[in-house]
PDB file of all heavy atoms in Angstrom:
ATOM      1  N   CYS A 135     -32.418   5.705 -22.557  1.00  0.00           N
ATOM      2  CA  CYS A 135     -32.182   5.641 -21.113  1.00  0.00           C
ATOM      3  C   CYS A 135     -33.333   4.921 -20.409  1.00  0.00           C
ATOM      4  O   CYS A 135     -33.118   4.152 -19.460  1.00  0.00           O
ATOM      5  CB  CYS A 135     -32.011   7.050 -20.541  1.00  0.00           C
ATOM      6  SG  CYS A 135     -30.440   7.819 -20.952  1.00  0.00           S
ATOM      7  N   LEU A 136     -34.562   5.158 -20.867  1.00  0.00           N
ATOM      8  CA  LEU A 136     -35.717   4.508 -20.263  1.00  0.00           C
ATOM      9  C   LEU A 136     -35.722   3.010 -20.572  1.00  0.00           C
ATOM     10  O   LEU A 136     -36.111   2.187 -19.736  1.00  0.00           O
ATOM     11  CB  LEU A 136     -37.009   5.157 -20.773  1.00  0.00           C
ATOM     12  CG  LEU A 136     -37.182   6.636 -20.440  1.00  0.00           C
ATOM     13  CD1 LEU A 136     -38.482   7.177 -21.038  1.00  0.00           C
ATOM     14  CD2 LEU A 136     -37.172   6.859 -18.932  1.00  0.00           C
ATOM     15  N   VAL A 137     -35.275   2.664 -21.777  1.00  0.00           N
ATOM     16  CA  VAL A 137     -35.155   1.243 -22.134  1.00  0.00           C
ATOM     17  C   VAL A 137     -34.132   0.558 -21.225  1.00  0.00           C
ATOM     18  O   VAL A 137     -34.373  -0.535 -20.694  1.00  0.00           O
ATOM     19  CB  VAL A 137     -34.742   1.100 -23.622  1.00  0.00           C
ATOM     20  CG1 VAL A 137     -34.489  -0.377 -23.963  1.00  0.00           C
ATOM     21  CG2 VAL A 137     -35.810   1.690 -24.537  1.00  0.00           C
ATOM     22  N   LEU A 138     -32.983   1.207 -21.045  1.00  0.00           N
ATOM     23  CA  LEU A 138     -31.940   0.661 -20.183  1.00  0.00           C
ATOM     24  C   LEU A 138     -32.392   0.605 -18.722  1.00  0.00           C
ATOM     25  O   LEU A 138     -32.061  -0.335 -17.990  1.00  0.00           O
ATOM     26  CB  LEU A 138     -30.669   1.499 -20.302  1.00  0.00           C
ATOM     27  CG  LEU A 138     -29.911   1.342 -21.624  1.00  0.00           C
ATOM     28  CD1 LEU A 138     -28.890   2.450 -21.796  1.00  0.00           C
ATOM     29  CD2 LEU A 138     -29.232  -0.018 -21.688  1.00  0.00           C
ATOM     30  N   LEU A 139     -33.160   1.614 -18.315  1.00  0.00           N
ATOM     31  CA  LEU A 139     -33.669   1.626 -16.952  1.00  0.00           C
ATOM     32  C   LEU A 139     -34.559   0.411 -16.701  1.00  0.00           C
ATOM     33  O   LEU A 139     -34.485  -0.227 -15.643  1.00  0.00           O
ATOM     34  CB  LEU A 139     -34.453   2.926 -16.697  1.00  0.00           C
ATOM     35  CG  LEU A 139     -34.948   3.169 -15.272  1.00  0.00           C
ATOM     36  CD1 LEU A 139     -33.778   3.292 -14.301  1.00  0.00           C
ATOM     37  CD2 LEU A 139     -35.798   4.441 -15.214  1.00  0.00           C
ATOM     38  N   ASP A 140     -35.399   0.080 -17.668  1.00  0.00           N
ATOM     39  CA  ASP A 140     -36.250  -1.114 -17.549  1.00  0.00           C
ATOM     40  C   ASP A 140     -35.404  -2.387 -17.469  1.00  0.00           C
ATOM     41  O   ASP A 140     -35.747  -3.319 -16.732  1.00  0.00           O
ATOM     42  CB  ASP A 140     -37.213  -1.197 -18.740  1.00  0.00           C
ATOM     43  CG  ASP A 140     -38.306  -0.146 -18.683  1.00  0.00           C
ATOM     44  OD1 ASP A 140     -38.595   0.334 -17.571  1.00  0.00           O
ATOM     45  OD2 ASP A 140     -38.860   0.200 -19.748  1.00  0.00           O
ATOM     46  N   GLN A 141     -34.288  -2.438 -18.222  1.00  0.00           N
ATOM     47  CA  GLN A 141     -33.406  -3.603 -18.173  1.00  0.00           C
ATOM     48  C   GLN A 141     -32.764  -3.740 -16.794  1.00  0.00           C
ATOM     49  O   GLN A 141     -32.615  -4.845 -16.265  1.00  0.00           O
ATOM     50  CB  GLN A 141     -32.324  -3.500 -19.253  1.00  0.00           C
ATOM     51  CG  GLN A 141     -32.839  -3.642 -20.676  1.00  0.00           C
ATOM     52  CD  GLN A 141     -31.722  -3.569 -21.703  1.00  0.00           C
ATOM     53  OE1 GLN A 141     -30.595  -4.006 -21.451  1.00  0.00           O
ATOM     54  NE2 GLN A 141     -32.013  -3.009 -22.878  1.00  0.00           N
ATOM     55  N   VAL A 142     -32.379  -2.603 -16.227  1.00  0.00           N
ATOM     56  CA  VAL A 142     -31.788  -2.612 -14.883  1.00  0.00           C
ATOM     57  C   VAL A 142     -32.807  -3.119 -13.859  1.00  0.00           C
ATOM     58  O   VAL A 142     -32.489  -3.954 -12.991  1.00  0.00           O
ATOM     59  CB  VAL A 142     -31.277  -1.209 -14.503  1.00  0.00           C
ATOM     60  CG1 VAL A 142     -30.897  -1.143 -13.018  1.00  0.00           C
ATOM     61  CG2 VAL A 142     -30.088  -0.821 -15.367  1.00  0.00           C
ATOM     62  N   LYS A 143     -34.049  -2.623 -13.957  1.00  0.00           N
ATOM     63  CA  LYS A 143     -35.102  -3.080 -13.043  1.00  0.00           C
ATOM     64  C   LYS A 143     -35.348  -4.577 -13.195  1.00  0.00           C
ATOM     65  O   LYS A 143     -35.555  -5.283 -12.199  1.00  0.00           O
ATOM     66  CB  LYS A 143     -36.396  -2.301 -13.314  1.00  0.00           C
ATOM     67  CG  LYS A 143     -36.354  -0.835 -12.912  1.00  0.00           C
ATOM     68  CD  LYS A 143     -37.661  -0.140 -13.255  1.00  0.00           C
ATOM     69  CE  LYS A 143     -37.633   1.336 -12.866  1.00  0.00           C
ATOM     70  NZ  LYS A 143     -38.889   2.037 -13.246  1.00  0.00           N
ATOM     71  N   GLU A 144     -35.342  -5.043 -14.430  1.00  0.00           N
ATOM     72  CA  GLU A 144     -35.538  -6.471 -14.689  1.00  0.00           C
ATOM     73  C   GLU A 144     -34.408  -7.288 -14.061  1.00  0.00           C
ATOM     74  O   GLU A 144     -34.649  -8.354 -13.474  1.00  0.00           O
ATOM     75  CB  GLU A 144     -35.597  -6.715 -16.203  1.00  0.00           C
ATOM     76  CG  GLU A 144     -35.767  -8.162 -16.609  1.00  0.00           C
ATOM     77  CD  GLU A 144     -37.120  -8.744 -16.197  1.00  0.00           C
ATOM     78  OE1 GLU A 144     -38.071  -7.960 -15.965  1.00  0.00           O
ATOM     79  OE2 GLU A 144     -37.208  -9.982 -16.096  1.00  0.00           O
ATOM     80  N   TYR A 145     -33.177  -6.793 -14.166  1.00  0.00           N
ATOM     81  CA  TYR A 145     -32.038  -7.502 -13.585  1.00  0.00           C
ATOM     82  C   TYR A 145     -32.187  -7.635 -12.067  1.00  0.00           C
ATOM     83  O   TYR A 145     -31.868  -8.678 -11.476  1.00  0.00           O
ATOM     84  CB  TYR A 145     -30.736  -6.774 -13.932  1.00  0.00           C
ATOM     85  CG  TYR A 145     -29.507  -7.398 -13.297  1.00  0.00           C
ATOM     86  CD1 TYR A 145     -28.856  -8.464 -13.909  1.00  0.00           C
ATOM     87  CD2 TYR A 145     -29.026  -6.934 -12.068  1.00  0.00           C
ATOM     88  CE1 TYR A 145     -27.743  -9.055 -13.314  1.00  0.00           C
ATOM     89  CE2 TYR A 145     -27.919  -7.519 -11.471  1.00  0.00           C
ATOM     90  CZ  TYR A 145     -27.278  -8.577 -12.098  1.00  0.00           C
ATOM     91  OH  TYR A 145     -26.194  -9.175 -11.498  1.00  0.00           O
ATOM     92  N   PHE A 146     -32.660  -6.574 -11.417  1.00  0.00           N
ATOM     93  CA  PHE A 146     -32.719  -6.552  -9.953  1.00  0.00           C
ATOM     94  C   PHE A 146     -34.036  -7.096  -9.380  1.00  0.00           C
ATOM     95  O   PHE A 146     -34.231  -7.041  -8.172  1.00  0.00           O
ATOM     96  CB  PHE A 146     -32.518  -5.118  -9.434  1.00  0.00           C
ATOM     97  CG  PHE A 146     -31.099  -4.648  -9.465  1.00  0.00           C
ATOM     98  CD1 PHE A 146     -30.692  -3.657 -10.342  1.00  0.00           C
ATOM     99  CD2 PHE A 146     -30.151  -5.209  -8.612  1.00  0.00           C
ATOM    100  CE1 PHE A 146     -29.382  -3.225 -10.365  1.00  0.00           C
ATOM    101  CE2 PHE A 146     -28.835  -4.773  -8.627  1.00  0.00           C
ATOM    102  CZ  PHE A 146     -28.440  -3.777  -9.511  1.00  0.00           C
ATOM    103  N   LYS A 147     -34.913  -7.620 -10.222  1.00  0.00           N
ATOM    104  CA  LYS A 147     -36.260  -7.979  -9.754  1.00  0.00           C
ATOM    105  C   LYS A 147     -36.254  -9.019  -8.632  1.00  0.00           C
ATOM    106  O   LYS A 147     -37.176  -9.056  -7.809  1.00  0.00           O
ATOM    107  CB  LYS A 147     -37.114  -8.463 -10.921  1.00  0.00           C
ATOM    108  CG  LYS A 147     -36.673  -9.786 -11.532  1.00  0.00           C
ATOM    109  CD  LYS A 147     -37.602 -10.196 -12.669  1.00  0.00           C
ATOM    110  CE  LYS A 147     -37.179 -11.552 -13.239  1.00  0.00           C
ATOM    111  NZ  LYS A 147     -38.050 -11.965 -14.348  1.00  0.00           N
ATOM    112  N   ASP A 148     -35.201  -9.877  -8.587  1.00  0.00           N
ATOM    113  CA  ASP A 148     -35.153 -10.919  -7.553  1.00  0.00           C
ATOM    114  C   ASP A 148     -34.380 -10.470  -6.318  1.00  0.00           C
ATOM    115  O   ASP A 148     -34.200 -11.250  -5.374  1.00  0.00           O
ATOM    116  CB  ASP A 148     -34.517 -12.191  -8.130  1.00  0.00           C
ATOM    117  CG  ASP A 148     -35.362 -12.795  -9.245  1.00  0.00           C
ATOM    118  OD1 ASP A 148     -36.600 -12.696  -9.154  1.00  0.00           O
ATOM    119  OD2 ASP A 148     -34.780 -13.347 -10.198  1.00  0.00           O
ATOM    120  N   TYR A 149     -33.918  -9.231  -6.308  1.00  0.00           N
ATOM    121  CA  TYR A 149     -33.171  -8.688  -5.170  1.00  0.00           C
ATOM    122  C   TYR A 149     -34.071  -7.753  -4.343  1.00  0.00           C
ATOM    123  O   TYR A 149     -35.092  -7.267  -4.815  1.00  0.00           O
ATOM    124  CB  TYR A 149     -31.938  -7.911  -5.645  1.00  0.00           C
ATOM    125  CG  TYR A 149     -30.847  -8.756  -6.259  1.00  0.00           C
ATOM    126  CD1 TYR A 149     -30.819  -8.991  -7.628  1.00  0.00           C
ATOM    127  CD2 TYR A 149     -29.838  -9.308  -5.472  1.00  0.00           C
ATOM    128  CE1 TYR A 149     -29.817  -9.754  -8.211  1.00  0.00           C
ATOM    129  CE2 TYR A 149     -28.818 -10.067  -6.044  1.00  0.00           C
ATOM    130  CZ  TYR A 149     -28.818 -10.296  -7.410  1.00  0.00           C
ATOM    131  OH  TYR A 149     -27.820 -11.051  -7.974  1.00  0.00           O
ATOM    132  N   ASP A 150     -33.642  -7.520  -3.114  1.00  0.00           N
ATOM    133  CA  ASP A 150     -34.285  -6.507  -2.273  1.00  0.00           C
ATOM    134  C   ASP A 150     -33.628  -5.175  -2.630  1.00  0.00           C
ATOM    135  O   ASP A 150     -32.633  -4.773  -2.032  1.00  0.00           O
ATOM    136  CB  ASP A 150     -34.074  -6.856  -0.800  1.00  0.00           C
ATOM    137  CG  ASP A 150     -34.745  -5.859   0.137  1.00  0.00           C
ATOM    138  OD1 ASP A 150     -35.555  -5.053  -0.354  1.00  0.00           O
ATOM    139  OD2 ASP A 150     -34.434  -5.881   1.344  1.00  0.00           O
ATOM    140  N   TYR A 151     -34.192  -4.490  -3.638  1.00  0.00           N
ATOM    141  CA  TYR A 151     -33.516  -3.307  -4.168  1.00  0.00           C
ATOM    142  C   TYR A 151     -34.385  -2.053  -4.062  1.00  0.00           C
ATOM    143  O   TYR A 151     -35.606  -2.121  -3.997  1.00  0.00           O
ATOM    144  CB  TYR A 151     -33.100  -3.526  -5.627  1.00  0.00           C
ATOM    145  CG  TYR A 151     -34.187  -3.352  -6.659  1.00  0.00           C
ATOM    146  CD1 TYR A 151     -34.337  -2.149  -7.349  1.00  0.00           C
ATOM    147  CD2 TYR A 151     -35.080  -4.375  -6.943  1.00  0.00           C
ATOM    148  CE1 TYR A 151     -35.333  -1.972  -8.301  1.00  0.00           C
ATOM    149  CE2 TYR A 151     -36.085  -4.215  -7.900  1.00  0.00           C
ATOM    150  CZ  TYR A 151     -36.201  -3.015  -8.569  1.00  0.00           C
ATOM    151  OH  TYR A 151     -37.192  -2.840  -9.503  1.00  0.00           O
TER     152      TYR A 151
END
Side-chain angles (χ1 to χ4, degrees):
C135 287
L136 298 178
V137 175
L138 288 165
L139 186 63
D140 289 337
Q141 291 182 33
V142 170
K143 290 178 180 178
E144 179 66 21
Y145 177 85
F146 283 111
K147 67 179 182 181
D148 296 326
Y149 291 91
D150 181 12
Y151 80 97

